[in-house]
Amino acid sequence: MKKIISLLLVFTFGLSSCEKDDICDANTPTTPRLVITFYDADNPTVLQNVKNLMVIGKDEPAGIIFNETATDTTKYLANGSTISIPLKTNAETTTYTFVLDSQNDNPAAINTDEITFNYTHQDLYVSRACGFKTIFELNPFSNTPPITRPFVQADTDGNGLWMQEVFVINPKIETENETHIKVFFSSCLMVSMVLVQAQETSTTIEKKETVPVKPKTETAKPALQEAKPDSIKTDRYGLRVGVDLYKLTRGFYDKDYKGIEIVGDFRLTKKYYLAAELGFEDKTTDDDRLNSTATGTYIKGGFDYNLYQNWLDMENLITIGLRGGFSTFSQDLNSYKIYNPNPYWGEQPSIVKDQKYNGLTAGWLEVAMGLKAKVFNNVFVGFGVQLKMLVMNTKPDGFDNLYIPGFNRTYDGSFGIGFNYTVSYFIPIYKKKTVIPSIKKDAPKK
């Protein structure tokens, strides 16, 4: 029993230290950029490559990096028919200067245009690791006061507009998989790129050695044992009530958690027990991208089956059981940050939301494994581990339930893990006596 307790201690505390990596997957759609595609003004259906185009944000010291692998000024140059540029997530206008053929030795050949993009934006929840993203919509045209346009174009160098025509194709900027703006101009450039990769693999083969088998030797037969008299075992039936010490003491060292759980079971038969847990939790999830608080109560009910065969007058348990859980709670979105994989305009500060979602519910099933060891008269110490599957989850509009009281965190998917460390007191109600027959052994044959 002591070995089993030690193993469960190591396992449960190991579970408490495991955390999912807070890394936003690169394949997750996040804050999109404005996609601009260039066409030949003389042949509008033909794509046109820009030459050494540099795009610089207003009041910014450097341009957008188009070539991340470059180490010199060429990292700021675009040579192709399509570019993607980030918009400000905390404003409704973004101004860029577009410098065509910026590396030309003849200053007169360099042409600079300026465009200010006008838009509205909306923040959408993505995930715990990614936080929120921002999507944009370019303003519609309006020639009546107040006059609004999706962009304002200006010739800043007096060389004329090299962007001869600019058209909005898709005003909604939600992904980078489509063109939002088409630009027509007269210019040509060819660009090429070669990428070579090589991989090597190796395999190893291990040889197995054979070990000779020693011949079996005959063992001496045990001597005749005398038969022992039958034993009478008294089983007590009653109610056991306790508290989860882990939840009760966690608040002393974790400022983001408050909770309590009352546990109980009632012995129905020799092996089966009715079991239930009732609790309250207040858990704040404080991550790099968001801060939210879940507060609520929960109840779990089911049964346990005792797998342990006790000796006389012992009442230890090693159990496996099934529970059904239900929680009613609220979710507070305290603050969040916009995840932008292209932070050209710098990291934006946290946005204080302070929005509360009430009336949320969740339900789950769980397989519970644990043990209870009698340490004093009627006093038991126990460990329990639960494997959970979420079957019902009412999510708030525009957000998610990152933590459900009684179920634990939800960002691992529909499956969860929990554990408890309990101290309980047994209240005996009645007793049953069981006769344990002795084992009689025959004398060995000569």
Side-chain angles (χ1 to χ4, degrees), residues 361-381:
T361 58
W364 65 91
L365 296 175
E366 65 180 51
V367 176
M369 299 169 287
L371 62 84
K372 292 183 177 70
K374 185 178 178 181
V375 292
F376 301 109
N377 187 28
N378 296 331
V379 178
F380 291 77
V381 173

Side-chain angles (χ1 to χ4, degrees), residues 198-204:
Q199 294 180 346
E200 295 182 357
T201 59
S202 61
T203 59
T204 59

Side-chain angles (χ1 to χ4, degrees), residues 15-27:
L15 289 176
S16 64
S17 62
C18 294
E19 287 291 338
K20 187 180 179 70
D21 291 336
D22 299 333
I23 299 176
C24 185
D25 192 333
N27 296 321

Side-chain angles (χ1 to χ4, degrees), residues 105-313:
D105 295 334
N106 182 10
I110 301 175
N111 200 324
T112 303
D113 290 357
E114 182 183 87
I115 295 183
T116 298
F117 299 97
N118 302 305
Y119 51 87
T120 59
H121 60 85
Q122 180 184 3
D123 298 338
L124 299 179
Y125 176 74
V126 179
S127 66
R128 172 180 175 263
C130 299
F132 282 71
K133 71 176 181 179
T134 301
I135 60 174
F136 311 89
E137 184 170 1
L138 297 173
N139 288 344
F141 281 101
S142 175
N143 291 322
T144 58
I147 298 175
T148 59
R149 289 184 175 86
F151 61 87
V152 177
Q153 191 176 4
D155 176 18
T156 59
D157 58 1
N159 292 334
L161 295 173
W162 68 267
M163 297 183 183
Q164 299 172 16
E165 292 183 287
V166 180
F167 294 98
V168 176
I169 302 303
N170 189 352
K172 294 186 177 181
I173 307 171
E174 299 177 351
T175 69
E176 297 181 9
N177 300 326
E178 55 191 355
T179 297
H180 305 114
I181 289 180
K182 286 185 177 182
V183 172
F184 295 86
F185 75 104
S186 296
S187 182
C188 296
L189 185 66
M190 298 181 64
V191 65
S192 63
M193 180 181 295
V194 178
L195 180 64
V196 179
Q197 294 180 342
Q199 294 180 346
E200 295 182 357
T201 59
S202 61
T203 59
T204 59
I205 301 176
E206 296 181 357
K207 295 183 178 180
K208 295 183 179 180
E209 296 181 358
T210 58
V211 180
V213 180
K214 296 181 179 181
K216 295 182 179 180
T217 58
E218 296 183 358
T219 57
K221 297 182 179 180
L224 176 64
Q225 296 182 359
E226 296 182 358
K228 295 182 180 179
D230 295 342
S231 301
I232 298 177
K233 184 178 184 300
T234 301
D235 292 325
R236 300 193 302 170
Y237 290 74
L239 177 66
R240 187 177 5 245
V241 180
V243 63
D244 180 5
L245 291 182
Y246 171 70
K247 290 183 176 63
L248 190 63
T249 60
R250 182 178 173 182
F252 294 126
Y253 60 86
D254 186 353
K255 63 180 179 63
D256 294 329
Y257 181 86
K258 295 177 183 178
I260 186 173
E261 179 178 279
I262 306 298
V263 300
D265 63 71
F266 183 84
R267 188 175 186 180
L268 285 178
T269 66
K270 186 176 181 180
K271 292 290 186 180
Y272 285 95
Y273 295 75
L274 286 178
E277 293 88 31
L278 177 66
F280 164 84
E281 285 188 300
D282 183 289
K283 175 68 170 65
T284 296
T285 301
D286 188 11
D287 293 324
D288 293 337
R289 295 291 165 190
L290 54 86
N291 183 290
S292 66
T293 302
T295 305
T297 58
Y298 63 91
I299 185 171
K300 298 188 291 183
F303 69 91
D304 286 332
Y305 179 79
N306 185 19
L307 302 171
Y308 188 70
Q309 182 63 46
N310 283 289
W311 295 350
L312 291 176
D313 299 327

Side-chain angles (χ1 to χ4, degrees), residues 5-144:
I5 293 176
S6 300
L7 288 174
L8 276 180
L9 271 171
V10 173
F11 180 67
T12 52
F13 282 106
L15 289 176
S16 64
S17 62
C18 294
E19 287 291 338
K20 187 180 179 70
D21 291 336
D22 299 333
I23 299 176
C24 185
D25 192 333
N27 296 321
T28 302
T30 52
T31 301
R33 293 170 294 179
L34 176 69
V35 179
I36 301 175
T37 302
F38 299 95
Y39 287 84
D40 187 352
D42 300 324
N43 193 351
T45 61
V46 177
L47 293 173
Q48 186 78 286
N49 292 336
V50 292
K51 179 181 179 181
N52 292 336
L53 175 65
M54 184 179 293
V55 182
I56 307 172
K58 186 176 182 180
D59 299 328
E60 290 297 316
I64 296 175
I65 297 177
F66 293 108
N67 305 298
E68 296 182 356
T69 59
T71 58
D72 53 9
T73 57
T74 58
K75 64 183 179 180
Y76 302 110
L77 305 180
N79 291 282
S81 62
T82 300
I83 62 171
S84 299
I85 58 176
L87 300 177
K88 292 182 179 179
T89 60
N90 60 344
E92 294 186 345
T93 61
T94 301
T95 300
Y96 279 108
T97 298
F98 297 81
V99 185
L100 185 65
D101 201 7
S102 60
Q103 303 300 300
N104 199 306
D105 295 334
N106 182 10
I110 301 175
N111 200 324
T112 303
D113 290 357
E114 182 183 87
I115 295 183
T116 298
F117 299 97
N118 302 305
Y119 51 87
T120 59
H121 60 85
Q122 180 184 3
D123 298 338
L124 299 179
Y125 176 74
V126 179
S127 66
R128 172 180 175 263
C130 299
F132 282 71
K133 71 176 181 179
T134 301
I135 60 174
F136 311 89
E137 184 170 1
L138 297 173
N139 288 344
F141 281 101
S142 175
N143 291 322
T144 58

